[in-house]
């Protein structure tokens, strides 16, 4: 297996960065939309596309999938042009939120004016919420998912609020970790969830037929434990998998199974 060159910063004119920007233009998605459909943040996509930081291979493959392109050529560029992602430079966070030229700085109003404005906005907001919704209405608004079905595809369940009504349809345990097939009726999506008992590198994937989505997390990433979501009408025929330390475990429902057939303890 060919080993990629040592990691290092890219440049805006490097073939990999140019190809990534072309794929991004082909998707028609904004940076915020890319962040919603992949495990990578808006600022991370800015650094990858601007050539400030070399992306991980999984990000390159995810962008190719969103553009409906063959990932082979761009992955080949990634393998010849650089290796695993390098840490962002100290200047990267300051540039991450800005794609165009810097905006002129407007004069700030005096401090008393700012304080009065903040009080007025807070009062108006509280009045509007209490008058229109009440406690139950506010709770329902917070629980509303941000996407549904196809618009959720590729997004992570926690960032889209789909995890709030999710239920475990099937589960399996292996040495050191558990794999669960999760389904959200409100969003119409399914995904794989892995729970490891100690920090380990892991790949989490979900599949229905030939349609597969996956996410890879390092051992240092304690927050990542789900695959991206697939849009499905039910959990039947969906398979959830996780590979940890070279060991792979999968669970799922056959086409004629339902949640009633799952382990009652796994429903929690």
């Amino acid at each position: 297996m060919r080993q990629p060159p040592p990691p290092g910063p890219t440049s805006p004119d490097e073939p990999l960065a140019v190809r990534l920007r072309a794929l991004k233009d082909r998707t028609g998605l904004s940076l915020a939309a890319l962040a919603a459909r992949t495990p990578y943040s808006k600022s991370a996509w800015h650094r990858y596309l601007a050539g400030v930081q070399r992306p991980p291979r999984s990000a390159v493959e995810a962008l190719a999938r969103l553009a409906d392109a063959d990932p082979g050529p761009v992955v080949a560029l990634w393998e010849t042009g650089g290796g695993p992602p390098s840490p962002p430079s100290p200047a990267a966070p300051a540039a991450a939120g800005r794609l165009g030229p810097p905006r002129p700085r407007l004069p700030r109003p005096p401090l008393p004016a700012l304080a009065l404005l903040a009080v007025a906005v807070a009062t108006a907001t509280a009045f509007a919420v209490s008058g229109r919704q009440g406690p139950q209405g506010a709770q329902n608004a917070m629980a509303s998912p941000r996407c549904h079905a196809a618009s959720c595809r590729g997004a992570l369940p926690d960032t889209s609020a789909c995890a709030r009504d999710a239920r475990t349809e099937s589960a399996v345990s292996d040495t050191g970790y558990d794999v669960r097939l999760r389904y959200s009726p409100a969003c119409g999506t399914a995904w794989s969830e892995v729970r490891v008992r100690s920090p380990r590198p892991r790949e989490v994937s979900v599949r229905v037929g030939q349609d597969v989505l996956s996410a890879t997390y390092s051992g240092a990433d304690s927050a990542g434990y789900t695959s991206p979501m697939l849009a499905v009408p039910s959990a039947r025929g969906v398979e959830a998998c996780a590979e940890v330390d070279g060991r792979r475990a999968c669970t799922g429902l056959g086409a004629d199974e339902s949640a009633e057939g799952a382990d009652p303890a796994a429903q929690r």
Side-chain angles (χ1 to χ4, degrees):
M1 179 177 178
R2 181 173 54 184
Q3 295 294 329
T10 62
S11 70
D13 298 326
E14 184 175 304
L16 176 60
V18 172
R19 179 59 178 159
L20 290 178
R21 290 195 294 272
L23 288 173
K24 186 261 185 189
D25 292 341
R26 180 171 171 177
T27 67
L29 299 174
S30 65
L31 292 179
L34 283 178
R37 293 169 183 263
T38 65
Y40 308 98
S41 67
K42 177 181 174 181
S43 60
W45 277 116
H46 172 85
R47 294 193 296 272
Y48 302 158
L49 297 171
V52 176
Q53 181 184 359
R54 190 173 304 283
R57 175 172 177 152
S58 54
V60 173
E61 293 173 338
L63 184 58
R65 284 196 300 267
L66 289 173
D68 291 326
D70 179 10
V74 70
V75 169
L77 278 177
W78 180 88
E79 290 178 340
T80 58
S86 59
S89 64
R98 191 171 64 231
L99 286 178
R103 299 179 180 178
R105 174 173 292 182
L106 298 177
R108 296 183 179 180
L111 185 58
L114 285 175
L116 290 174
L117 179 61
V119 171
V121 171
T123 303
T125 302
F127 177 79
V129 171
S130 62
R132 287 200 307 260
Q133 291 184 332
Q136 185 62 41
Q139 183 178 2
N140 291 339
M142 291 179 62
S144 299
R146 302 176 187 173
C147 61
H148 180 73
S151 64
C152 295
R153 175 185 168 84
L156 294 178
D158 287 338
T159 60
S160 61
C162 294
R164 292 176 180 173
D165 76 322
R167 63 190 185 217
T168 299
E169 299 282 0
S170 180
V172 65
S173 296
D174 200 340
T175 304
Y177 65 99
D178 303 315
V179 184
R180 300 174 183 177
L181 170 60
R182 302 279 282 169
Y183 178 72
S184 166
C187 292
T189 57
W191 63 91
S192 175
E193 178 179 295
V194 62
R195 297 292 184 175
V196 294
R197 296 177 179 83
S198 60
R200 303 177 185 179
R202 54 211 175 273
E203 180 180 5
V204 195
S205 62
V206 62
R207 177 179 70 86
V208 57
Q210 299 299 315
D211 196 1
V212 183
L213 291 179
S214 65
T216 302
Y217 303 99
S218 68
D221 186 349
S222 60
Y225 57 91
T226 66
S227 72
M229 295 186 291
L230 281 176
V232 290
S234 73
R236 291 190 296 271
V238 181
E239 183 180 53
C241 297
E243 183 172 331
V244 180
D245 290 341
R247 295 177 59 88
R248 183 177 178 86
C250 297
T251 185
L253 294 179
D256 57 349
E257 293 182 272
S258 64
E260 285 76 10
D263 181 0
Q267 297 291 324
R268 298 189 293 272

